[in-house]
Amino acid sequence: MTSQAVKEVLLVGFGAVGAVYSLILKRSGRARVTVIARSNYDTVNAQGVEFQSGKYGDIKGWKPDRLFQSVAEALDRPYSYVVVTTKAIPELVRTPTLLAPFLSPPYSDTYPQPTYVLMQNGLNVEVDLYRVLKKLKRTEEPRIISTAVWIGSRMIGSNVIEHNDFDRVSLGVYRPSTTNSTNTPEESVVLSEFSDILTAGGSETTIVPEIQRVKFGKNFWNAIFGISSALVQYPLPAIFRPPHLDPDASQDGHLLEHTPPLDVPETPSMAATASVPSASPAIGAYTIPFLYDALTEMYNLGVVLFPPSEGSPGLNPDIAIKTLMNTSKLHVRPDSVHRPSTLVDVELGRPMEIEVILGEVVRMGREKGVDMPRLETLYALLLIAQNQLLRQHHEKKASL
């Protein structure tokens, strides 16, 4: 039977995702929520948070049970869960550094280690923390819940959160091996207890035996479409939406007349993507087949990492074309206004999550001998932008 006792929960990272999930945790009635708000502490401490949510309603002046500006201030008690909702940007801070006060004396000698819950984009975000925990308690297996989160939320200013009508999360135990596809009874208890808290708070949850496969599947979109959008600095309708469907298109709906003539042999990728809408004939002939081929490279790596077995279905063999088609359907519409988070980061001059979204894919591809020239090209080019954003970040930090 799952315990109904109130759990002490620490949440690190009070952005758009962290704020919504701190609300969910508090709404459950099963968690006493301590939040670490670093950059927006002063505003949240003075005014609280305003939620404009299609799911949870309009809430003003909301605060967690406790609010601190640093992890070091919150070491006065043991926690059942430490939830990390910061962006995963290892060039700025690695997870063990962020959580260092928990991973060293006197805290590590005084209290048992909590279950860590990583609600972050990207792949292999758990590796650093797992290794440190393994060294800290060599006779214990680290308790790390990894997640794949789908949520529509964004932060306006420093304390206003816009949230639409959904938030759902898949949860699984992190394991170094990708070939173990079953949860032990002990792992099932760890997952169900935290899942029950989120469900009681209103979120939709799914417990899975292979969280790394689920995260890899979700990363298809981020690694191709989020990265491409950041690279060209335009949202996805710039790829898929024909001119006559633009919100400001003229009444006669004519196509652009300056589109260059196309006289190229059809490739297999062009044939496979012929029904995908495009913003111009040239984009349909070159860009969309390129994206399809990049998705296929991701799939080829996924087949090696997650082969089908008795306990695992492996990856969906149609994932490349389905991801492309589903994305085009959303962004061909005149009302499509979504901007990928990587694009928003570039527009605001912030470093991106490029290493965990794409860098890890490239490194795993090289390790496994999987050829991925398109993904390596995207990564190589975006590294230039990331390098400049990191320089600007450090210069700004030094000037404060």
Side-chain angles (χ1 to χ4, degrees), residues 9 36-37 66 74 79 88 108 117 119 122 141 146 148 166 199 241 247 262 275 333 336 377-378:
V9 180
I36 307 301
R66 303 197 305 166
Y79 294 92
S108 62
V117 183
M119 304 184 79
E141 186 63 14
S146 191
F166 79 91
T199 301
R241 190 163 63 200
L262 294 176
S275 61
R333 292 164 40 176
S336 170
T377 299
L378 290 173

Side-chain angles (χ1 to χ4, degrees), residues 3-279:
S3 173
Q4 299 293 317
V6 173
K7 305 290 187 180
E8 293 286 349
V9 180
L10 178 75
L11 185 142
V12 183
F14 209 47
V17 174
V20 172
Y21 271 96
S22 66
L23 173 67
I24 290 167
L25 288 164
K26 183 66 178 171
R27 277 171 48 90
S28 73
R30 302 183 188 179
R32 187 178 294 108
V33 183
T34 299
V35 165
I36 307 301
R38 296 175 298 171
S39 61
N40 57 349
Y41 170 82
D42 290 335
T43 305
V44 174
N45 189 48
Q47 303 173 17
V49 179
E50 178 179 346
F51 289 97
Q52 301 170 359
S53 173
K55 183 173 181 179
Y56 302 112
D58 293 337
I59 306 169
K60 293 186 178 181
W62 184 90
K63 290 184 178 181
D65 295 293
R66 303 197 305 166
L67 183 73
F68 296 115
Q69 199 165 10
S70 70
V71 172
E73 297 174 78
L75 302 180
D76 60 337
R77 63 190 62 185
Y79 294 92
S80 297
Y81 305 97
V82 170
V83 182
V84 180
T85 56
T86 59
K87 287 199 170 187
I89 307 177
E91 306 99 306
L92 296 181
V93 61
R94 304 187 84 90
T95 303
T97 303
L98 180 69
L99 301 175
F102 288 104
L103 305 171
S104 54
Y107 191 91
S108 62
D109 292 338
T110 306
Y111 300 114
Q113 283 294 305
T115 296
Y116 293 93
V117 183
L118 303 187
M119 304 184 79
Q120 297 175 303
N121 275 330
L123 305 175
N124 294 336
V125 296
E126 313 88 353
V127 173
D128 283 350
L129 179 60
Y130 179 90
R131 290 172 177 169
V132 171
L133 288 170
K134 196 67 175 173
K135 289 181 180 179
L136 184 65
K137 304 283 186 179
R138 295 186 181 275
T139 60
E140 299 178 10
E141 186 63 14
R143 294 189 308 278
I144 300 177
I145 296 176
S146 191
T147 65
V149 180
W150 291 266
I151 185 171
S153 64
R154 68 179 184 127
M155 178 168 276
I156 306 172
S158 57
N159 70 329
V160 179
I161 306 296
E162 275 190 354
H163 174 239
N164 57 18
D165 59 354
F166 79 91
D167 47 78
R168 57 189 177 92
V169 55
S170 292
L171 306 102
V173 170
Y174 170 74
R175 311 180 191 95
S177 170
T178 63
T179 58
N180 186 340
S181 57
T182 58
N183 289 325
T184 67
E186 294 78 12
E187 290 171 341
S188 295
V189 170
V190 169
L191 292 168
S192 63
E193 287 185 344
F194 188 70
S195 175
D196 287 349
I197 294 173
L198 295 183
T199 301
S203 194
E204 179 184 342
T205 66
T206 304
I207 294 174
V208 298
E210 291 181 292
I211 189 61
Q212 291 182 75
R213 178 173 62 85
V214 175
K215 285 176 70 72
F216 190 89
K218 181 175 186 281
N219 201 59
F220 268 72
W221 196 95
N222 289 328
I224 310 303
F225 297 108
I227 292 297
S228 296
S229 182
L231 185 61
V232 302
Q233 297 189 38
Y234 280 95
L236 296 178
I239 299 174
F240 298 110
R241 190 163 63 200
H244 69 281
L245 292 180
D246 284 339
D248 57 353
S250 61
Q251 291 297 317
D252 58 6
H254 64 81
L255 296 175
L256 296 179
E257 296 178 357
H258 62 264
T259 299
L262 294 176
D263 185 17
V264 295
E266 185 176 76
T267 66
S269 297
M270 290 172 65
T273 60
S275 61
V276 178
S278 63

Side-chain angles (χ1 to χ4, degrees), residues 274-318:
S275 61
V276 178
S278 63
S280 78
I283 289 173
Y286 293 99
T287 307
I288 289 176
F290 172 89
L291 296 174
Y292 172 73
D293 288 338
L295 288 163
T296 301
E297 291 175 4
M298 279 279 292
Y299 172 76
N300 292 339
L301 174 60
V303 169
V304 175
L305 293 174
F306 309 101
S309 67
E310 184 177 345
S312 168
L315 288 180
N316 185 336
D318 296 327

